[in-house]
Amino acid sequence: MKRHDNIYAVVGAADSREVVIAPADKYEARTMRSDAKASGTSFYCSVAVGGCGGKLKLAAGDVRLPYFSHAPEAACSLTDSSARDGYTHLAIQKALKLWVERSPQLRCDLEVTTLDQKGRSDLVIGSANDSRRLGLEVQLSPLTHDEMQRRSAIYLKAVDHVQWLYGNEDNQACWGEVERRRYALRVRINMQTLDCDLGYYGFHGAHDAGSIQTTWRPLADWIIRPNGLFSPSIKTVLEEAREQAERLHAAKPPRPPKPAAPTVPAYEALHTSLKSRFQHTLFPDNAAIRLRVINAIYRRTVKGQLDEATATELLEWLGRKPWSSWWKTLLGTRSKDAEIIIHVIDVHSRRRHDSKT
Ligand SMILES: [Zn+2]
């Protein structure tokens, strides 16, 4: 198997849009090969995906999984990943076109070049009874949000609305759309059956109950409108998720009333008193550390997490044993202040330890 050989091909001509993949089963592949021979059709390396356009043979031996093989002298630069993305793109375009054309009043053109020749829309959908045109862009590879907007602006010279369909939600352009208008649409295809689904990617729920996820529906569940694609069954899913979140939200017990805030002046006096009382015993060589520790303990007292007696006791004790883990446990490690102070005390105690050894 040469580097550009892979499981994809198009049928009938090098510029055909009829994608096939080599069946994984060798007997199935051999049947596909003899069927093609009997009907006089051949497989080609697609020029639409950047392939060489050469005729391909379906190799279905006993050792390797079946694949489409180039002629020995073929010069083809198609890589595995570009083949996969390119042929998937072709297959999705085809599936979308077939789907659109199932509606008798709709018309669908593929690869429509914009008037200024600067862009090429994947699909343009027009209607017999509406002059507006909808462009569909299938985006399987990563794209930045800026580039998506730049391309949309070009397409909008030829169509009235552009709908992007992303292969992967892990795509900046896709995220940008979710941020801007709460959702983006995704597309996927089963390359064996050529069944194609569209997905709604966005927040399902309400308040803080829910998640950003994709709900997939087959093409038949979607409706084409001049300003985009809609699925009534996804609307139902979203409504249910929202109702469920609302019920959860309503069932939450009401928050207990906050305890009345202590009057500040009393605590200001405490702060002043702590500062003066511990001036000589707590980190006597470092006023900045002393003030940070006193402030942290003072704030906890104001918030009602410590009472005044405990705060005093703590500071007295701290003056004697600044490296003790007991202090860390008491303050906890969640608060940013506590973390800063614990870090400072760690450094301080390490210094004391180092100076001893
Ligand atoms: Zn090729």
mmCIF file of all heavy atoms in Angstrom, residues 95-144:
data_model
loop_
_atom_site.group_PDB
_atom_site.id
_atom_site.type_symbol
_atom_site.label_atom_id
_atom_site.label_comp_id
_atom_site.label_asym_id
_atom_site.label_seq_id
_atom_site.Cartn_x
_atom_site.Cartn_y
_atom_site.Cartn_z
ATOM 1 N N ALA A 95 -25.005 14.206 0.426
ATOM 2 C CA ALA A 95 -26.160 13.841 1.252
ATOM 3 C C ALA A 95 -27.059 15.049 1.479
ATOM 4 O O ALA A 95 -28.295 14.953 1.425
ATOM 5 C CB ALA A 95 -25.684 13.267 2.584
ATOM 6 N N LEU A 96 -26.445 16.224 1.714
ATOM 7 C CA LEU A 96 -27.231 17.438 1.936
ATOM 8 C C LEU A 96 -27.998 17.820 0.668
ATOM 9 O O LEU A 96 -29.170 18.197 0.723
ATOM 10 C CB LEU A 96 -26.324 18.593 2.384
ATOM 11 C CG LEU A 96 -25.712 18.492 3.799
ATOM 12 C CD1 LEU A 96 -24.669 19.586 4.019
ATOM 13 C CD2 LEU A 96 -26.792 18.569 4.881
ATOM 14 N N LYS A 97 -27.332 17.691 -0.468
ATOM 15 C CA LYS A 97 -27.981 18.051 -1.739
ATOM 16 C C LYS A 97 -29.194 17.152 -1.995
ATOM 17 O O LYS A 97 -30.276 17.643 -2.315
ATOM 18 C CB LYS A 97 -26.973 17.944 -2.892
ATOM 19 C CG LYS A 97 -27.520 18.374 -4.249
ATOM 20 C CD LYS A 97 -26.392 18.425 -5.265
ATOM 21 C CE LYS A 97 -26.853 18.420 -6.712
ATOM 22 N NZ LYS A 97 -27.731 19.511 -7.109
ATOM 23 N N LEU A 98 -29.005 15.845 -1.781
ATOM 24 C CA LEU A 98 -30.113 14.909 -1.990
ATOM 25 C C LEU A 98 -31.280 15.243 -1.065
ATOM 26 O O LEU A 98 -32.443 15.209 -1.456
ATOM 27 C CB LEU A 98 -29.656 13.466 -1.719
ATOM 28 C CG LEU A 98 -28.753 12.844 -2.789
ATOM 29 C CD1 LEU A 98 -28.247 11.478 -2.322
ATOM 30 C CD2 LEU A 98 -29.506 12.723 -4.117
ATOM 31 N N TRP A 99 -30.916 15.592 0.169
ATOM 32 C CA TRP A 99 -31.943 15.931 1.165
ATOM 33 C C TRP A 99 -32.712 17.185 0.742
ATOM 34 O O TRP A 99 -33.943 17.203 0.776
ATOM 35 C CB TRP A 99 -31.259 16.134 2.521
ATOM 36 C CG TRP A 99 -32.086 16.775 3.568
ATOM 37 C CD1 TRP A 99 -33.276 16.341 4.059
ATOM 38 C CD2 TRP A 99 -31.789 17.984 4.277
ATOM 39 N NE1 TRP A 99 -33.737 17.198 5.042
ATOM 40 C CE2 TRP A 99 -32.834 18.205 5.192
ATOM 41 C CE3 TRP A 99 -30.726 18.892 4.229
ATOM 42 C CZ2 TRP A 99 -32.849 19.318 6.056
ATOM 43 C CZ3 TRP A 99 -30.739 19.974 5.093
ATOM 44 C CH2 TRP A 99 -31.795 20.178 5.984
ATOM 45 N N VAL A 100 -31.973 18.225 0.344
ATOM 46 C CA VAL A 100 -32.631 19.483 -0.061
ATOM 47 C C VAL A 100 -33.565 19.217 -1.241
ATOM 48 O O VAL A 100 -34.702 19.694 -1.272
ATOM 49 C CB VAL A 100 -31.580 20.561 -0.443
ATOM 50 C CG1 VAL A 100 -32.270 21.793 -1.005
ATOM 51 C CG2 VAL A 100 -30.717 20.929 0.762
ATOM 52 N N GLU A 101 -33.087 18.404 -2.177
ATOM 53 C CA GLU A 101 -33.864 18.206 -3.402
ATOM 54 C C GLU A 101 -35.083 17.312 -3.215
ATOM 55 O O GLU A 101 -35.883 17.142 -4.125
ATOM 56 C CB GLU A 101 -32.933 17.673 -4.510
ATOM 57 C CG GLU A 101 -32.017 18.792 -4.996
ATOM 58 C CD GLU A 101 -30.942 18.349 -5.968
ATOM 59 O OE1 GLU A 101 -30.703 17.120 -6.045
ATOM 60 O OE2 GLU A 101 -30.374 19.217 -6.627
ATOM 61 N N ARG A 102 -35.208 16.766 -2.014
ATOM 62 C CA ARG A 102 -36.430 16.024 -1.719
ATOM 63 C C ARG A 102 -37.626 16.974 -1.594
ATOM 64 O O ARG A 102 -38.769 16.565 -1.724
ATOM 65 C CB ARG A 102 -36.263 15.221 -0.419
ATOM 66 C CG ARG A 102 -36.235 13.729 -0.674
ATOM 67 C CD ARG A 102 -35.870 12.952 0.559
ATOM 68 N NE ARG A 102 -34.516 12.439 0.461
ATOM 69 C CZ ARG A 102 -33.729 12.164 1.493
ATOM 70 N NH1 ARG A 102 -34.151 12.371 2.724
ATOM 71 N NH2 ARG A 102 -32.528 11.688 1.313
ATOM 72 N N SER A 103 -37.338 18.249 -1.300
ATOM 73 C CA SER A 103 -38.421 19.250 -1.280
ATOM 74 C C SER A 103 -38.570 19.811 -2.689
ATOM 75 O O SER A 103 -37.635 20.413 -3.214
ATOM 76 C CB SER A 103 -38.077 20.398 -0.334
ATOM 77 O OG SER A 103 -37.741 19.896 0.926
ATOM 78 N N PRO A 104 -39.745 19.594 -3.318
ATOM 79 C CA PRO A 104 -39.889 19.950 -4.734
ATOM 80 C C PRO A 104 -39.695 21.447 -5.025
ATOM 81 O O PRO A 104 -39.272 21.811 -6.115
ATOM 82 C CB PRO A 104 -41.316 19.503 -5.075
ATOM 83 C CG PRO A 104 -41.967 19.098 -3.795
ATOM 84 C CD PRO A 104 -40.929 18.955 -2.748
ATOM 85 N N GLN A 105 -39.979 22.306 -4.009
ATOM 86 C CA GLN A 105 -39.871 23.747 -4.305
ATOM 87 C C GLN A 105 -38.447 24.279 -4.127
ATOM 88 O O GLN A 105 -38.176 25.430 -4.426
ATOM 89 C CB GLN A 105 -40.877 24.540 -3.458
ATOM 90 C CG GLN A 105 -40.493 24.790 -2.014
ATOM 91 C CD GLN A 105 -40.720 23.570 -1.105
ATOM 92 O OE1 GLN A 105 -40.980 22.461 -1.556
ATOM 93 N NE2 GLN A 105 -40.596 23.796 0.191
ATOM 94 N N LEU A 106 -37.537 23.417 -3.628
ATOM 95 C CA LEU A 106 -36.177 23.886 -3.353
ATOM 96 C C LEU A 106 -35.185 23.448 -4.430
ATOM 97 O O LEU A 106 -35.346 22.407 -5.053
ATOM 98 C CB LEU A 106 -35.697 23.369 -1.992
ATOM 99 C CG LEU A 106 -36.433 23.872 -0.758
ATOM 100 C CD1 LEU A 106 -35.830 23.289 0.507
ATOM 101 C CD2 LEU A 106 -36.435 25.398 -0.690
ATOM 102 N N ARG A 107 -34.176 24.278 -4.601
ATOM 103 C CA ARG A 107 -33.128 24.002 -5.575
ATOM 104 C C ARG A 107 -31.794 24.057 -4.830
ATOM 105 O O ARG A 107 -31.641 24.834 -3.881
ATOM 106 C CB ARG A 107 -33.135 25.110 -6.632
ATOM 107 C CG ARG A 107 -32.974 24.674 -8.056
ATOM 108 C CD ARG A 107 -33.340 25.847 -8.972
ATOM 109 N NE ARG A 107 -32.578 27.044 -8.603
ATOM 110 C CZ ARG A 107 -31.350 27.307 -9.056
ATOM 111 N NH1 ARG A 107 -30.735 26.462 -9.866
ATOM 112 N NH2 ARG A 107 -30.725 28.414 -8.713
ATOM 113 N N CYS A 108 -30.857 23.237 -5.243
ATOM 114 C CA CYS A 108 -29.587 23.215 -4.519
ATOM 115 C C CYS A 108 -28.418 23.151 -5.491
ATOM 116 O O CYS A 108 -28.379 22.304 -6.372
ATOM 117 C CB CYS A 108 -29.561 21.996 -3.594
ATOM 118 S SG CYS A 108 -28.086 21.900 -2.597
ATOM 119 N N ASP A 109 -27.477 24.079 -5.343
ATOM 120 C CA ASP A 109 -26.272 24.065 -6.170
ATOM 121 C C ASP A 109 -25.055 23.844 -5.286
ATOM 122 O O ASP A 109 -24.966 24.388 -4.196
ATOM 123 C CB ASP A 109 -26.125 25.395 -6.917
ATOM 124 C CG ASP A 109 -27.269 25.600 -7.891
ATOM 125 O OD1 ASP A 109 -27.498 24.699 -8.712
ATOM 126 O OD2 ASP A 109 -27.951 26.643 -7.790
ATOM 127 N N LEU A 110 -24.120 23.061 -5.820
ATOM 128 C CA LEU A 110 -22.891 22.774 -5.073
ATOM 129 C C LEU A 110 -21.760 23.663 -5.565
ATOM 130 O O LEU A 110 -21.711 24.024 -6.740
ATOM 131 C CB LEU A 110 -22.480 21.318 -5.280
ATOM 132 C CG LEU A 110 -23.375 20.225 -4.681
ATOM 133 C CD1 LEU A 110 -22.788 18.867 -4.986
ATOM 134 C CD2 LEU A 110 -23.519 20.412 -3.183
ATOM 135 N N GLU A 111 -20.846 23.980 -4.646
ATOM 136 C CA GLU A 111 -19.610 24.685 -5.009
ATOM 137 C C GLU A 111 -19.888 25.909 -5.869
ATOM 138 O O GLU A 111 -19.410 26.020 -6.999
ATOM 139 C CB GLU A 111 -18.659 23.745 -5.774
ATOM 140 C CG GLU A 111 -18.332 22.463 -5.035
ATOM 141 C CD GLU A 111 -17.311 22.651 -3.919
ATOM 142 O OE1 GLU A 111 -16.746 23.748 -3.786
ATOM 143 O OE2 GLU A 111 -17.104 21.685 -3.154
ATOM 144 N N VAL A 112 -20.700 26.826 -5.342
ATOM 145 C CA VAL A 112 -21.053 28.010 -6.107
ATOM 146 C C VAL A 112 -20.001 29.088 -5.862
ATOM 147 O O VAL A 112 -19.771 29.495 -4.733
ATOM 148 C CB VAL A 112 -22.443 28.533 -5.688
ATOM 149 C CG1 VAL A 112 -22.803 29.785 -6.461
ATOM 150 C CG2 VAL A 112 -23.481 27.437 -5.899
ATOM 151 N N THR A 113 -19.374 29.529 -6.951
ATOM 152 C CA THR A 113 -18.343 30.562 -6.808
ATOM 153 C C THR A 113 -19.019 31.920 -6.665
ATOM 154 O O THR A 113 -19.969 32.230 -7.382
ATOM 155 C CB THR A 113 -17.420 30.556 -8.043
ATOM 156 O OG1 THR A 113 -16.931 29.231 -8.201
ATOM 157 C CG2 THR A 113 -16.258 31.505 -7.862
ATOM 158 N N THR A 114 -18.534 32.728 -5.707
ATOM 159 C CA THR A 114 -19.129 34.052 -5.520
ATOM 160 C C THR A 114 -18.777 34.930 -6.714
ATOM 161 O O THR A 114 -17.803 34.667 -7.432
ATOM 162 C CB THR A 114 -18.615 34.705 -4.222
ATOM 163 O OG1 THR A 114 -17.192 34.662 -4.229
ATOM 164 C CG2 THR A 114 -19.125 33.968 -3.002
ATOM 165 N N LEU A 115 -19.560 35.994 -6.913
ATOM 166 C CA LEU A 115 -19.403 36.848 -8.096
ATOM 167 C C LEU A 115 -17.984 37.402 -8.234
ATOM 168 O O LEU A 115 -17.440 37.472 -9.315
ATOM 169 C CB LEU A 115 -20.398 38.022 -8.033
ATOM 170 C CG LEU A 115 -21.844 37.655 -8.391
ATOM 171 C CD1 LEU A 115 -22.743 38.847 -8.203
ATOM 172 C CD2 LEU A 115 -21.922 37.119 -9.811
ATOM 173 N N ASP A 116 -17.373 37.751 -7.075
ATOM 174 C CA ASP A 116 -16.014 38.314 -7.144
ATOM 175 C C ASP A 116 -14.948 37.214 -7.220
ATOM 176 O O ASP A 116 -13.761 37.502 -7.148
ATOM 177 C CB ASP A 116 -15.761 39.241 -5.951
ATOM 178 C CG ASP A 116 -15.961 38.514 -4.621
ATOM 179 O OD1 ASP A 116 -16.211 37.296 -4.642
ATOM 180 O OD2 ASP A 116 -15.857 39.167 -3.573
ATOM 181 N N GLN A 117 -15.379 35.970 -7.362
ATOM 182 C CA GLN A 117 -14.470 34.817 -7.522
ATOM 183 C C GLN A 117 -13.617 34.556 -6.283
ATOM 184 O O GLN A 117 -12.653 33.816 -6.345
ATOM 185 C CB GLN A 117 -13.523 35.026 -8.732
ATOM 186 C CG GLN A 117 -14.209 35.375 -10.021
ATOM 187 C CD GLN A 117 -14.858 34.164 -10.676
ATOM 188 O OE1 GLN A 117 -14.257 33.101 -10.772
ATOM 189 N NE2 GLN A 117 -16.083 34.310 -11.105
ATOM 190 N N LYS A 118 -13.926 35.230 -5.167
ATOM 191 C CA LYS A 118 -13.059 35.114 -3.992
ATOM 192 C C LYS A 118 -13.447 33.945 -3.100
ATOM 193 O O LYS A 118 -12.659 33.507 -2.266
ATOM 194 C CB LYS A 118 -13.091 36.402 -3.177
ATOM 195 C CG LYS A 118 -12.210 37.487 -3.758
ATOM 196 C CD LYS A 118 -12.256 38.721 -2.891
ATOM 197 C CE LYS A 118 -11.382 39.830 -3.460
ATOM 198 N NZ LYS A 118 -11.691 41.131 -2.878
ATOM 199 N N GLY A 119 -14.669 33.470 -3.233
ATOM 200 C CA GLY A 119 -15.106 32.390 -2.358
ATOM 201 C C GLY A 119 -15.928 31.368 -3.117
ATOM 202 O O GLY A 119 -16.386 31.606 -4.240
ATOM 203 N N ARG A 120 -16.106 30.222 -2.485
ATOM 204 C CA ARG A 120 -16.906 29.175 -3.117
ATOM 205 C C ARG A 120 -17.782 28.565 -2.042
ATOM 206 O O ARG A 120 -17.280 27.950 -1.099
ATOM 207 C CB ARG A 120 -15.982 28.141 -3.741
ATOM 208 C CG ARG A 120 -16.634 27.355 -4.851
ATOM 209 C CD ARG A 120 -15.616 26.543 -5.573
ATOM 210 N NE ARG A 120 -14.862 25.710 -4.642
ATOM 211 C CZ ARG A 120 -13.970 24.784 -5.010
ATOM 212 N NH1 ARG A 120 -13.712 24.598 -6.275
ATOM 213 N NH2 ARG A 120 -13.345 24.067 -4.114
ATOM 214 N N SER A 121 -19.090 28.775 -2.172
ATOM 215 C CA SER A 121 -20.025 28.237 -1.186
ATOM 216 C C SER A 121 -20.178 26.743 -1.403
ATOM 217 O O SER A 121 -20.276 26.287 -2.538
ATOM 218 C CB SER A 121 -21.398 28.889 -1.348
ATOM 219 O OG SER A 121 -21.408 30.132 -0.718
ATOM 220 N N ASP A 122 -20.230 25.984 -0.313
ATOM 221 C CA ASP A 122 -20.403 24.540 -0.436
ATOM 222 C C ASP A 122 -21.745 24.198 -1.065
ATOM 223 O O ASP A 122 -21.816 23.430 -2.008
ATOM 224 C CB ASP A 122 -20.305 23.881 0.950
ATOM 225 C CG ASP A 122 -18.859 23.691 1.365
ATOM 226 O OD1 ASP A 122 -18.010 23.549 0.468
ATOM 227 O OD2 ASP A 122 -18.587 23.693 2.568
ATOM 228 N N LEU A 123 -22.817 24.760 -0.487
ATOM 229 C CA LEU A 123 -24.154 24.523 -1.037
ATOM 230 C C LEU A 123 -24.942 25.821 -0.998
ATOM 231 O O LEU A 123 -24.874 26.557 -0.012
ATOM 232 C CB LEU A 123 -24.942 23.517 -0.183
ATOM 233 C CG LEU A 123 -24.526 22.052 -0.190
ATOM 234 C CD1 LEU A 123 -23.758 21.743 1.069
ATOM 235 C CD2 LEU A 123 -25.759 21.172 -0.264
ATOM 236 N N VAL A 124 -25.670 26.091 -2.067
ATOM 237 C CA VAL A 124 -26.557 27.244 -2.062
ATOM 238 C C VAL A 124 -27.968 26.739 -2.331
ATOM 239 O O VAL A 124 -28.223 26.034 -3.306
ATOM 240 C CB VAL A 124 -26.140 28.289 -3.119
ATOM 241 C CG1 VAL A 124 -27.175 29.397 -3.215
ATOM 242 C CG2 VAL A 124 -24.774 28.872 -2.771
ATOM 243 N N ILE A 125 -28.874 27.082 -1.388
ATOM 244 C CA ILE A 125 -30.247 26.604 -1.492
ATOM 245 C C ILE A 125 -31.143 27.764 -1.892
ATOM 246 O O ILE A 125 -31.108 28.828 -1.266
ATOM 247 C CB ILE A 125 -30.711 26.014 -0.141
ATOM 248 C CG1 ILE A 125 -29.783 24.869 0.288
ATOM 249 C CG2 ILE A 125 -32.158 25.526 -0.233
ATOM 250 C CD1 ILE A 125 -30.034 24.379 1.696
ATOM 251 N N GLY A 126 -31.895 27.563 -2.951
ATOM 252 C CA GLY A 126 -32.840 28.573 -3.407
ATOM 253 C C GLY A 126 -34.231 27.975 -3.435
ATOM 254 O O GLY A 126 -34.398 26.762 -3.400
ATOM 255 N N SER A 127 -35.215 28.866 -3.452
ATOM 256 C CA SER A 127 -36.596 28.393 -3.420
ATOM 257 C C SER A 127 -37.390 29.028 -4.551
ATOM 258 O O SER A 127 -37.134 30.165 -4.951
ATOM 259 C CB SER A 127 -37.220 28.750 -2.076
ATOM 260 O OG SER A 127 -38.620 28.633 -2.146
ATOM 261 N N ALA A 128 -38.373 28.279 -5.052
ATOM 262 C CA ALA A 128 -39.211 28.779 -6.132
ATOM 263 C C ALA A 128 -40.079 29.938 -5.655
ATOM 264 O O ALA A 128 -40.376 30.851 -6.419
ATOM 265 C CB ALA A 128 -40.077 27.646 -6.679
ATOM 266 N N ASN A 129 -40.489 29.909 -4.360
ATOM 267 C CA ASN A 129 -41.404 30.957 -3.910
ATOM 268 C C ASN A 129 -40.775 31.931 -2.905
ATOM 269 O O ASN A 129 -41.445 32.575 -2.126
ATOM 270 C CB ASN A 129 -42.695 30.337 -3.354
ATOM 271 C CG ASN A 129 -42.395 29.070 -2.566
ATOM 272 O OD1 ASN A 129 -41.322 28.975 -1.975
ATOM 273 N ND2 ASN A 129 -43.307 28.119 -2.572
ATOM 274 N N ASP A 130 -39.469 31.991 -2.879
ATOM 275 C CA ASP A 130 -38.787 32.940 -1.995
ATOM 276 C C ASP A 130 -37.473 33.308 -2.665
ATOM 277 O O ASP A 130 -36.722 32.443 -3.090
ATOM 278 C CB ASP A 130 -38.515 32.272 -0.635
ATOM 279 C CG ASP A 130 -38.139 33.280 0.439
ATOM 280 O OD1 ASP A 130 -37.330 34.197 0.140
ATOM 281 O OD2 ASP A 130 -38.663 33.163 1.562
ATOM 282 N N SER A 131 -37.217 34.611 -2.800
ATOM 283 C CA SER A 131 -36.009 35.014 -3.525
ATOM 284 C C SER A 131 -34.755 34.889 -2.666
ATOM 285 O O SER A 131 -33.640 34.972 -3.161
ATOM 286 C CB SER A 131 -36.161 36.451 -4.009
ATOM 287 O OG SER A 131 -36.287 37.300 -2.878
ATOM 288 N N ARG A 132 -34.956 34.681 -1.345
ATOM 289 C CA ARG A 132 -33.778 34.604 -0.471
ATOM 290 C C ARG A 132 -33.026 33.297 -0.693
ATOM 291 O O ARG A 132 -33.635 32.260 -0.941
ATOM 292 C CB ARG A 132 -34.200 34.728 0.999
ATOM 293 C CG ARG A 132 -34.634 36.130 1.350
ATOM 294 C CD ARG A 132 -35.176 36.198 2.744
ATOM 295 N NE ARG A 132 -36.440 35.473 2.845
ATOM 296 C CZ ARG A 132 -37.077 35.297 4.002
ATOM 297 N NH1 ARG A 132 -36.557 35.764 5.133
ATOM 298 N NH2 ARG A 132 -38.221 34.646 4.042
ATOM 299 N N ARG A 133 -31.706 33.377 -0.558
ATOM 300 C CA ARG A 133 -30.882 32.178 -0.749
ATOM 301 C C ARG A 133 -30.085 31.883 0.521
ATOM 302 O O ARG A 133 -29.574 32.782 1.175
ATOM 303 C CB ARG A 133 -29.933 32.377 -1.931
ATOM 304 C CG ARG A 133 -30.690 32.761 -3.212
ATOM 305 C CD ARG A 133 -30.053 32.223 -4.447
ATOM 306 N NE ARG A 133 -28.692 32.700 -4.666
ATOM 307 C CZ ARG A 133 -27.858 32.127 -5.522
ATOM 308 N NH1 ARG A 133 -28.243 31.068 -6.217
ATOM 309 N NH2 ARG A 133 -26.645 32.616 -5.700
ATOM 310 N N LEU A 134 -30.024 30.601 0.820
ATOM 311 C CA LEU A 134 -29.317 30.155 2.025
ATOM 312 C C LEU A 134 -28.042 29.408 1.626
ATOM 313 O O LEU A 134 -28.094 28.502 0.803
ATOM 314 C CB LEU A 134 -30.239 29.227 2.838
ATOM 315 C CG LEU A 134 -29.610 28.450 4.004
ATOM 316 C CD1 LEU A 134 -29.220 29.393 5.135
ATOM 317 C CD2 LEU A 134 -30.594 27.400 4.540
ATOM 318 N N GLY A 135 -26.917 29.791 2.198
ATOM 319 C CA GLY A 135 -25.661 29.087 1.937
ATOM 320 C C GLY A 135 -25.337 28.159 3.093
ATOM 321 O O GLY A 135 -25.502 28.521 4.252
ATOM 322 N N LEU A 136 -24.910 26.950 2.770
ATOM 323 C CA LEU A 136 -24.469 26.016 3.812
ATOM 324 C C LEU A 136 -22.968 25.786 3.644
ATOM 325 O O LEU A 136 -22.497 25.524 2.536
ATOM 326 C CB LEU A 136 -25.187 24.671 3.695
ATOM 327 C CG LEU A 136 -26.702 24.634 3.884
ATOM 328 C CD1 LEU A 136 -27.188 23.186 3.814
ATOM 329 C CD2 LEU A 136 -27.105 25.255 5.214
ATOM 330 N N GLU A 137 -22.251 25.917 4.738
ATOM 331 C CA GLU A 137 -20.809 25.672 4.701
ATOM 332 C C GLU A 137 -20.470 24.493 5.599
ATOM 333 O O GLU A 137 -20.766 24.513 6.793
ATOM 334 C CB GLU A 137 -20.039 26.909 5.183
ATOM 335 C CG GLU A 137 -20.196 28.124 4.285
ATOM 336 C CD GLU A 137 -19.817 27.834 2.834
ATOM 337 O OE1 GLU A 137 -18.826 27.108 2.624
ATOM 338 O OE2 GLU A 137 -20.518 28.317 1.938
ATOM 339 N N VAL A 138 -19.875 23.481 5.025
ATOM 340 C CA VAL A 138 -19.467 22.303 5.798
ATOM 341 C C VAL A 138 -18.009 22.499 6.211
ATOM 342 O O VAL A 138 -17.133 22.636 5.361
ATOM 343 C CB VAL A 138 -19.614 21.022 4.947
ATOM 344 C CG1 VAL A 138 -19.101 19.807 5.711
ATOM 345 C CG2 VAL A 138 -21.067 20.835 4.529
ATOM 346 N N GLN A 139 -17.758 22.565 7.516
ATOM 347 C CA GLN A 139 -16.406 22.860 8.005
ATOM 348 C C GLN A 139 -15.908 21.725 8.882
ATOM 349 O O GLN A 139 -16.302 21.612 10.035
ATOM 350 C CB GLN A 139 -16.425 24.188 8.781
ATOM 351 C CG GLN A 139 -15.061 24.672 9.196
ATOM 352 C CD GLN A 139 -14.175 24.984 8.003
ATOM 353 O OE1 GLN A 139 -14.641 25.483 6.979
ATOM 354 N NE2 GLN A 139 -12.901 24.648 8.100
ATOM 355 N N LEU A 140 -15.053 20.885 8.303
ATOM 356 C CA LEU A 140 -14.552 19.737 9.069
ATOM 357 C C LEU A 140 -13.215 20.043 9.739
ATOM 358 O O LEU A 140 -12.892 19.496 10.780
ATOM 359 C CB LEU A 140 -14.409 18.514 8.160
ATOM 360 C CG LEU A 140 -15.690 18.075 7.429
ATOM 361 C CD1 LEU A 140 -15.416 16.838 6.597
ATOM 362 C CD2 LEU A 140 -16.828 17.816 8.395
ATOM 363 N N SER A 141 -12.430 20.921 9.131
ATOM 364 C CA SER A 141 -11.100 21.216 9.694
ATOM 365 C C SER A 141 -11.191 22.418 10.630
ATOM 366 O O SER A 141 -12.148 23.187 10.569
ATOM 367 C CB SER A 141 -10.116 21.469 8.560
ATOM 368 O OG SER A 141 -10.620 22.479 7.722
ATOM 369 N N PRO A 142 -10.199 22.602 11.502
ATOM 370 C CA PRO A 142 -10.240 23.725 12.440
ATOM 371 C C PRO A 142 -10.271 25.070 11.715
ATOM 372 O O PRO A 142 -9.688 25.212 10.642
ATOM 373 C CB PRO A 142 -8.930 23.579 13.226
ATOM 374 C CG PRO A 142 -8.479 22.182 13.006
ATOM 375 C CD PRO A 142 -9.002 21.769 11.677
ATOM 376 N N LEU A 143 -10.969 26.011 12.303
ATOM 377 C CA LEU A 143 -11.106 27.339 11.694
ATOM 378 C C LEU A 143 -11.196 28.356 12.826
ATOM 379 O O LEU A 143 -11.869 28.114 13.827
ATOM 380 C CB LEU A 143 -12.397 27.363 10.859
ATOM 381 C CG LEU A 143 -12.681 28.595 10.013
ATOM 382 C CD1 LEU A 143 -11.725 28.651 8.828
ATOM 383 C CD2 LEU A 143 -14.122 28.582 9.506
ATOM 384 N N THR A 144 -10.531 29.484 12.682
ATOM 385 C CA THR A 144 -10.672 30.511 13.724
ATOM 386 C C THR A 144 -11.993 31.249 13.512
ATOM 387 O O THR A 144 -12.538 31.270 12.408
ATOM 388 C CB THR A 144 -9.524 31.542 13.675
ATOM 389 O OG1 THR A 144 -9.629 32.257 12.442
ATOM 390 C CG2 THR A 144 -8.160 30.867 13.798
#
